Each structure stands twice: as structure tokens, then as C-alpha cells.
Amino acid sequence: MALTLDDVDRFEAFRPRLEAVAYRLLGSASEAEDAVQETFLRWQGADIERIDVPEAWMTKVLTNLCLNQLTSARARRETYVGQWLPEPLLAGDRMLGPADTAEQRESVSYAVLVLLERLSPNERAVYVLREAFEYPHREIAEILDITEASSQQIFHRAKKHVADGRARTRTEIDEATARRIIDEFLAAAASGKTEPLVQLLTGDAVAVGDGGGKVPARARAFEGALAVAKFMRGLFKPSAAKRALVGGSPDVYAWTANGEPALVVVLDGRVIGVMCLEVADDGIMAFRNQVNPDKLERATRLWAAGDHGEPLLTVF
């Protein structure tokens, strides 16, 4: 049965929410888009007159597609070159989804998306649907074909796993504070000295990068304030070799990604790196740097559509 315009409009009105769910489940914007499009194709082929609550039907189809995708993704990531990090979403991206509560904002943070990789597919689905989108357990049970009691148990287990993976409680900061932190960090990094950087970091700070085998990135994380500070000092030190590697001298902007302070590195209008900073009360506790070009295409498109002012500095 062919879709009516009303049927198409109903799906398109719900598409942003489906994209936000899929992104949290998969950690990949491109894979999320594919899952939503496959959901639309199944909507096209469905007997819509027999569907009582279309939005619930769409969510169920999408979630199960993502669960299948997660199973195969785990196998692929076992052979992934270097560290795997999620695809970052810059401020203003509709795929970030709802941000009305602290739980919703945290559910899409880079730090939590990394932790969600440790959960089983079912744990991840229950956690995302409950924590980020406030679905009642009754509806989650229907989506996943489990009992309501099982949904509650899975959620509490998943939430504990996420909490146990956090070194400390996430600190929510406003835009002005985020900008100050970034300014202080860049000043310290550009100083060429290690000590100013160490003072900004927590003792257990880490730095990790994802190059996907296409851009050089260390296979193991730097751990500890001194190791991270030395790495950052070297990263921001100008050199002809770095300019040759990236094809020029990129500009660095202060921005937010996944609701956290971030540095966006841009060369000739193309985003070549997004560094997300995780901040605690006692300093910067993590740097997660996405430089895999395959995971920066969406960021580049969004960046090109806006005005971001002058860069904070030009590096290399």
C-alpha cells in the first residue's frame, strides 16, 4: 500500500527523535541515519491502517534494527585500528536530541557514549530509552519483547555499570566556564611548558585519539597528568612535519560537542579534528580526540553552514 502524504509527514515529524535514539544506540551518526532510513522503508511497506500507535511502531522497528547493528558492530570493532571513539556531534546538531534534564544531557556526552560500549545491546537499549527519552518500562518492554520487570532490572544493572565506569560525577558547566577552561588550556598548551598543563589536569587524566588507521593516533591512551601534559605540549608544538601531514596550518576554535567543551580544528573549511574535554571539579580529566575523517563528515557539513567567528589560534 502506497504511503499518503500524511503518512510521510508523520514519519518526517518523528525522524529527529528516531535519529537521536539511533545515535545514542550506535555512537555513529552515519549508521544512525542508515537505521532511520531503513525504518522509513519498512514504514512504506507496512499496513499502516493496522498500526495503532505509529510512533511506538517506528521506535520498536528502529531499536531492533540498531540492536542487530550493535551485534555486528562489536565484531567490526575488534579489528578496528587503534582506539574506537564515537562520532562527535557539534552544538546545534538536531541528532543530539532532548537536553531538558541532566540525565538527557549526560546520555549524549562523549564520556557516557564511550561507557555505553561496555554494555550489552539490550542494556544499552533499555538505558537509552529510559534515561535519555524517559520511556516507561511498560513501553520499553513492548519494544524489546521482554517483561516490564526485566526492563527494570536491566536498567538498574546498566545504570550501575555506567556509574561504576565514571571516575567521578560529571560536572555540568555553563558556556562561559567552558570557554574559560578552553582558553586556559590553549594558553598552557601553547606555552611550550609542561607544568602549566599539569596544573589544569586531574591526577588521573587521560588522553585518547581515534584515527581509524587513516590518521596517525596512538593505539593506547596516555594516562596520568604528567604523561597527558607532555603529549599535549608536543601536540601543539609547531613543526614542518605536522603541517605537511595535515596539509597546512589549521585553525582552532572553541566550541561544544556532545554538550561538552571542545576544540574544533578546521583546515580550508574542513573539520579535521574534534577534541572533547571532560571536566571535573578539580580539573580536566579526559581529552578524547576524534581525527578519523570518516567520522567528521557530518561535523564538516554543520560547520560549513554556520558562522563561528575568529579562531582562537592557528597551529603547526
Side-chain angles (χ1 to χ4, degrees):
M1 182 181 296
L3 292 182
T4 67
L5 288 177
D6 287 343
D7 295 333
V8 173
D9 288 345
R10 186 157 193 172
F11 186 93
E12 292 304 322
F14 201 58
R15 183 185 286 270
R17 185 177 180 89
L18 292 174
E19 289 180 344
V21 171
Y23 173 71
R24 284 166 170 81
L25 288 176
L26 300 172
S28 165
S30 58
E31 291 178 3
E33 288 177 330
D34 290 344
V36 172
Q37 190 58 28
E38 178 61 28
T39 303
F40 177 71
L41 294 177
R42 298 196 181 193
W43 176 246
Q44 279 186 311
D47 187 352
I48 293 175
E49 291 183 356
R50 300 184 63 181
I51 298 175
D52 294 330
V53 185
E55 288 77 10
W57 183 94
M58 296 173 197
T59 303
K60 181 180 179 73
V61 170
L62 174 82
T63 301
N64 283 284
L65 286 169
C66 289
L67 288 176
N68 292 336
Q69 181 73 7
L70 278 173
T71 301
S72 60
R74 283 177 175 242
R76 292 199 308 274
R77 287 169 193 170
E78 288 179 0
T79 59
Y80 192 81
V81 179
Q83 297 278 345
W84 184 95
L85 290 175
E87 184 175 344
L89 297 182
L90 301 183
D93 195 316
R94 74 177 190 182
M95 199 176 278
L96 287 168
D100 299 326
T101 68
E103 291 78 12
Q104 289 172 337
R105 292 189 291 274
E106 184 173 41
S107 72
V108 79
S109 71
Y110 221 52
V112 166
L113 287 176
V114 170
L115 289 173
L116 292 183
E117 288 294 307
R118 303 180 184 181
L119 304 182
S120 70
N122 258 21
E123 286 175 338
R124 186 165 184 165
V126 172
Y127 182 89
V128 165
L129 292 172
R130 180 64 178 166
E131 192 81 345
F133 296 93
E134 300 179 333
Y135 279 87
H137 284 290
R138 174 182 53 78
E139 292 185 21
I140 296 173
E142 293 174 356
I143 289 170
L144 297 176
D145 292 325
I146 58 178
T147 66
E148 188 171 344
S150 293
S151 176
Q152 293 170 338
Q153 291 170 358
I154 292 171
F155 174 69
H156 290 305
R157 187 166 63 243
K159 194 167 185 178
K160 184 178 186 302
H161 288 330
V162 172
D164 289 347
R166 306 300 300 272
R168 50 180 64 81
T169 303
R170 179 174 181 254
T171 300
E172 286 209 61
I173 57 177
D174 58 29
E175 186 174 341
T177 302
R179 178 59 184 266
R180 176 181 59 77
I181 290 169
I182 287 176
D183 286 343
E184 290 177 352
F185 165 69
L186 284 178
S191 72
K193 300 177 181 179
T194 303
E195 185 56 32
L197 281 165
V198 171
Q199 292 177 358
L200 293 176
L201 308 179
T202 62
D204 57 353
V206 298
V208 59
D210 178 351
K214 300 185 177 183
V215 174
R218 181 180 164 94
R220 297 181 62 184
F222 291 90
E223 298 181 352
L226 184 58
V228 172
K230 288 181 177 179
F231 166 66
M232 289 297 169
R233 182 193 64 192
L235 183 64
F236 283 86
K237 185 178 181 180
S239 75
K242 291 176 185 174
R243 289 191 294 274
L245 178 65
V246 302
S249 297
D251 294 323
V252 179
Y253 295 82
W255 209 245
T256 59
N258 294 73
E260 298 175 313
L263 297 175
V264 179
V265 185
V266 182
L267 181 65
D268 297 331
R270 179 170 53 89
V271 175
I272 63 170
V274 177
M275 180 184 289
C276 296
L277 283 64
E278 185 179 2
V279 180
D281 290 333
D282 52 343
I284 302 171
M285 60 184 295
F287 299 88
R288 297 182 177 90
N289 192 21
Q290 183 57 260
V291 292
N292 183 344
D294 293 343
K295 298 182 182 181
L296 295 172
E297 293 178 358
R298 185 181 181 91
T300 294
R301 293 197 302 270
L302 186 66
W303 190 261
D307 179 13
H308 310 288
E310 295 299 316
L312 295 181
L313 79 162
T314 299
V315 291
F316 305 161

